[in-house]
């Protein structure tokens, strides 16, 4: 994966401290951080400034200007000092793929993947990313997944059965986002963004019930849930005389 431009903004710009913003802030002012890309702020709150900067290879950066106070045609995003990342105007295309297999704290699999692509010409640019994670949890009674023990009694308070109570399962999450920008000398700049995410979780409650006669009975209760969200947005910047 090529080096992104983020390291160049930490400790290498005199008088500038990187602020990646706060997505919980109402509106775009202040929420998008104190960095502009080619003179414009982020057009979506669903993609953080840190992620946007990670998509810009250092080799595609012409220069980084530090702007104090104000400058013609520059929205300071509510900050006294902003950095303006100026990208090279020549056509560039880049991308990266990451895959990270591993184990979580319960000893189960935890796999993650990410793919990015960016393309830029003199008048058009596009940046997109897709991420996924698959995470298993719980166990089979051999340790790591035991949530505790359970005992059941009849109406006369006599023990019916008791045993380990487990909740193994898995969770899959997917997300993707993209930002496209078209720049025209006299029509202005059009930006479009889209993002979507989905989450699916499946559980199976397992009760290893042992009765007084030492007979084991496995009782299961499966369940699953899912949710999704998306965002579409656009904005326009132009000058009218």
């Amino acid at each position: 994966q090529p080096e992104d431009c983020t390291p160049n903004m930490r400790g290498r710009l005199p008088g500038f401290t990187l602020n990646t913003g706060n997505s919980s802030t109402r509106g775009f002012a202040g929420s998008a951080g104190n960095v502009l890309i080619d003179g414009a702020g982020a057009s979506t709150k669903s993609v953080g400034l840190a992620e946007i900067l990670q998509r810009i290879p250092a080799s595609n950066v012409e220069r980084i200007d530090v702007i104090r106070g104000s400058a013609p045609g520059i929205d300071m995003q509510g900050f006294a000092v902003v950095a303006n990342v100026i990208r090279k105007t020549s056509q560039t295309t880049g991308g990266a793929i990451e895959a990270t297999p591993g184990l979580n704290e319960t000893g189960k699999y935890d796999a993650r993947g990410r793919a990015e692509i960016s393309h830029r010409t003199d008048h058009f640019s596009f940046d997109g990313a897709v991420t996924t994670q698959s995470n298993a949890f719980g166990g089979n009674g051999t340790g790591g997944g035991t949530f505790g023990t359970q005992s059941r009694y009849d109406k006369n308070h006599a023990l019916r059965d008791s045993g380990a109570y487990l909740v193994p399962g898995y969770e899959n999450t997917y997300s993707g986002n993209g930002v496209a920008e078209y720049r025209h000398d006299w029509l202005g700049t059009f930006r479009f963004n889209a993002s979507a995410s989905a989450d699916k979780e499946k559980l199976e409650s397992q009760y290893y019930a042992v009765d007084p006669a030492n007979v084991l009975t496995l009782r299961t209760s499966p369940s699953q849930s899912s949710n999704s969200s998306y965002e579409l947005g656009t904005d326009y910047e132009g000058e009218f005389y």
Side-chain angles (χ1 to χ4, degrees):
Q1 181 179 2
E3 180 186 9
D4 59 67
C5 70
T6 308
N8 295 311
M9 310 191 69
R10 291 191 171 126
R12 300 188 184 182
L13 299 178
F16 175 80
T17 301
L18 178 62
N19 185 329
T20 57
N22 183 358
S23 61
S24 63
T25 302
R26 185 174 183 179
F28 283 109
S31 66
N34 61 349
V35 177
L36 306 176
I37 310 298
D38 295 323
S43 59
T44 173
K45 294 175 67 176
S46 63
V47 182
L49 176 59
E51 182 174 344
I52 294 175
L53 294 175
Q54 287 175 358
R55 297 179 187 174
I56 304 177
S59 58
N60 288 355
V61 176
E62 180 72 28
R63 68 182 188 276
I64 301 177
D65 297 333
V66 177
I67 303 173
R68 295 178 172 85
S70 64
I74 297 295
D75 182 0
M76 299 296 289
Q77 306 286 321
F79 293 95
V81 180
V82 299
N84 188 20
V85 179
I86 307 298
R87 293 177 291 187
K88 297 178 180 179
T89 57
S90 59
Q91 178 172 318
T92 58
T93 301
I97 296 177
E98 298 179 4
T100 309
L103 300 176
N104 57 28
E105 63 273 10
T106 64
K108 302 301 178 180
Y109 71 85
D110 185 355
R112 309 180 185 211
R114 178 180 179 87
E116 300 177 357
I117 187 172
S118 63
H119 177 72
R120 177 176 174 83
T121 65
D122 289 342
H123 296 284
F124 175 79
S125 63
F126 172 79
D127 296 276
V130 176
T131 60
T132 180
Q133 179 179 3
S134 183
N135 179 35
F137 48 86
N140 57 6
T142 58
T146 301
F147 276 47
T149 59
Q150 176 175 297
S151 299
R152 301 192 304 168
Y153 300 85
D154 61 21
K155 63 181 181 180
N156 297 319
H157 307 291
L159 180 66
R160 291 176 54 188
D161 49 50
S162 64
Y165 183 78
L166 315 171
V167 188
Y170 68 86
E171 181 181 29
N172 293 332
T173 59
Y174 312 91
S175 64
N177 56 70
V179 178
E181 181 178 285
Y182 176 74
R183 300 169 296 276
H184 192 274
D185 293 339
W186 56 273
L187 285 179
T189 301
F190 300 85
R191 296 188 188 89
F192 306 90
N193 68 82
S195 65
S197 63
D199 180 274
K200 181 179 179 181
E201 183 180 75
K202 185 174 182 180
L203 304 174
E204 185 178 73
S205 300
Q206 299 176 349
Y207 175 42
Y208 292 80
V210 180
D211 62 19
N214 204 31
V215 176
L216 172 64
T217 303
L218 174 60
R219 303 177 184 275
T220 62
S221 177
S223 65
Q224 64 179 21
S225 63
S226 62
N227 61 77
S228 60
S229 63
Y230 65 91
E231 175 188 299
L232 297 174
T234 182
D235 71 71
Y236 167 77
E237 292 182 9
E239 295 183 0
F240 300 93
Y241 301 94

